[in-house]
Amino acid sequence: ACARLSGSDELKALVADDEKIKSYLPGRGLVDPIVDFKVKFPTTEYLIAPLKQLQPRLYSISSSPKAHKGEVHLTVGKVTYDAHGRSRKGVCSSYLAEHDTARPVKVYMHHNKAFHLTDNDEAPLIMIGPGTGIAPFRAFLEEREARQSKGENWLFFGDQHVATDFLYEEQISGWMKSGVLNRIDTAFSRDQTEKIYVQDRILEQSEDFYAWLEKGGFIYICGDASRMAKDVDAAIHKVVETAGGKTEDEAKAYVEALKKAKRYLRDVY
């Protein structure tokens, strides 16, 4: 539509070339071709007609209804960055951060059958959630606290800087003191010369990590799918190999068995 309306030979050539359009699109939004090529739409309706509906944003609930009656908490990181000469903002995160709280926000509940807290209150939990991936684990810990669960809880959390990015630090410290949270391993990647991530902490604790699995532990992972989840999965396989004394194939079979038993669950995006 922009190519038809702009009269720009450059934009027409861009649209006609699959490789060129593939390199142009990443990091850009609807406003970019309109501004870059001075496109003028005859009416607002003409602009809106070809657009798809905005897709809903799904956020993990970060609270237990037993701890916060009548409330649902979310953990949202506002996305802001610069790209292609302009400041950019995350659509939903910016909307929520800048929203006038006197006005309602349209929301709906969505059930994730593949990711939920086990009903076994005796089972150990290993929760791996860097950044806002901590959201469901705050809910899990509140729920386990309310249930007075006997099972041990181990949290792996990471972000860039401990001074500014340690989400729910006070609540987590309280859980460590009360015994609700038995262990926490943190990885703040930019607080030292060498970058450290949650997968590094997992490998450092290989013996104990494997011991928790052997005790019937559940693994939960939440957060970035593109890199973190893959790196964490590789670390878990390595733990099973080294601490469990298994071959690579045996480690793969062990992890697959965990998945089939619903003891290895992921909520990644």
Side-chain angles (χ1 to χ4, degrees):
C2 288
R4 288 196 304 270
L5 289 168
S6 71
S8 166
D9 291 336
E10 183 185 353
L11 182 54
K12 288 175 182 176
L14 193 65
V15 171
D17 188 315
D18 288 344
E19 291 305 314
K20 286 183 179 179
I21 198 68
K22 279 181 184 177
S23 65
Y24 174 81
L25 290 175
R28 288 184 166 94
L30 177 66
V31 72
D32 289 281
I34 295 173
V35 173
D36 292 348
F37 300 98
K38 299 178 175 59
V39 181
K40 292 185 178 180
F41 286 86
T43 64
T44 305
E45 289 73 20
Y46 200 102
L47 167 63
I48 293 172
L51 302 182
K52 296 178 181 179
Q53 275 195 321
L54 190 64
Q55 292 299 298
R57 267 54 174 175
L58 301 180
Y59 289 99
S60 301
I61 292 174
S62 53
S63 60
S64 163
K66 291 184 174 67
H68 307 278
K69 190 174 181 180
E71 296 179 7
V72 170
H73 297 186
L74 303 180
T75 304
V76 181
K78 183 181 178 182
V79 177
T80 57
Y81 60 99
D82 293 323
H84 304 294
R86 273 190 279 281
S87 297
R88 314 282 171 159
K89 300 195 296 185
V91 175
C92 192
S93 63
S94 297
Y95 170 76
L96 292 173
E98 299 165 9
H99 189 70
D100 176 3
T101 54
R103 297 174 56 218
V105 175
K106 290 184 178 180
V107 298
Y108 69 95
M109 301 292 282
H110 177 75
H111 182 59
N112 186 349
K113 294 180 181 179
F115 191 86
H116 56 84
L117 177 62
T118 176
D119 292 329
N120 184 350
D121 285 342
E122 306 295 323
L125 300 190
I126 300 174
M127 297 162 283
I128 305 159
T132 53
I134 196 175
F137 306 135
R138 178 179 183 257
F140 284 11
L141 289 165
E142 287 187 345
E143 182 74 10
R144 296 268 270 189
E145 182 178 34
R147 288 186 197 172
Q148 297 183 330
S149 303
K150 303 299 182 187
E152 294 178 293
N153 300 302
W154 187 354
L155 176 66
F156 287 87
F157 174 75
D159 213 312
Q160 292 193 358
H161 302 286
V162 66
T164 54
D165 303 318
F166 196 163
L167 306 182
Y168 304 112
E169 181 179 9
E170 290 183 9
Q171 191 171 18
I172 288 170
S173 296
W175 280 327
M176 285 296 293
K177 290 175 183 175
S178 68
V180 171
L181 186 58
N182 303 91
R183 294 188 63 164
I184 181 168
D185 280 271
T186 59
F188 292 100
S189 60
R190 305 300 195 274
D191 281 347
Q192 60 283 311
T193 305
E194 181 186 359
K195 292 179 182 177
I196 298 173
Y197 300 104
V198 287
Q199 59 267 24
D200 300 315
R201 297 303 190 205
I202 290 169
L203 292 172
E204 288 173 3
Q205 304 297 333
S206 292
E207 296 293 333
D208 287 347
F209 196 102
Y210 184 72
W212 277 49
L213 295 181
E214 287 292 279
K215 289 190 295 185
F218 285 66
I219 302 173
Y220 293 94
I221 302 171
C222 182
D224 171 57
S226 62
R227 293 189 62 181
M228 181 279 295
K230 293 177 183 177
D231 292 341
V232 166
D233 184 70
I236 291 169
H237 279 79
K238 197 66 179 176
V239 164
V240 175
E241 273 188 62
T242 56
K246 301 182 186 299
T247 65
E248 184 177 340
D249 287 340
E250 288 171 341
K252 286 180 182 178
Y254 185 97
V255 174
E256 280 303 312
L258 290 176
K259 292 177 180 178
K260 286 181 180 178
K262 308 296 185 188
R263 287 176 50 206
Y264 183 136
L265 301 175
R266 309 197 309 173
D267 181 15
V268 297
Y269 38 84

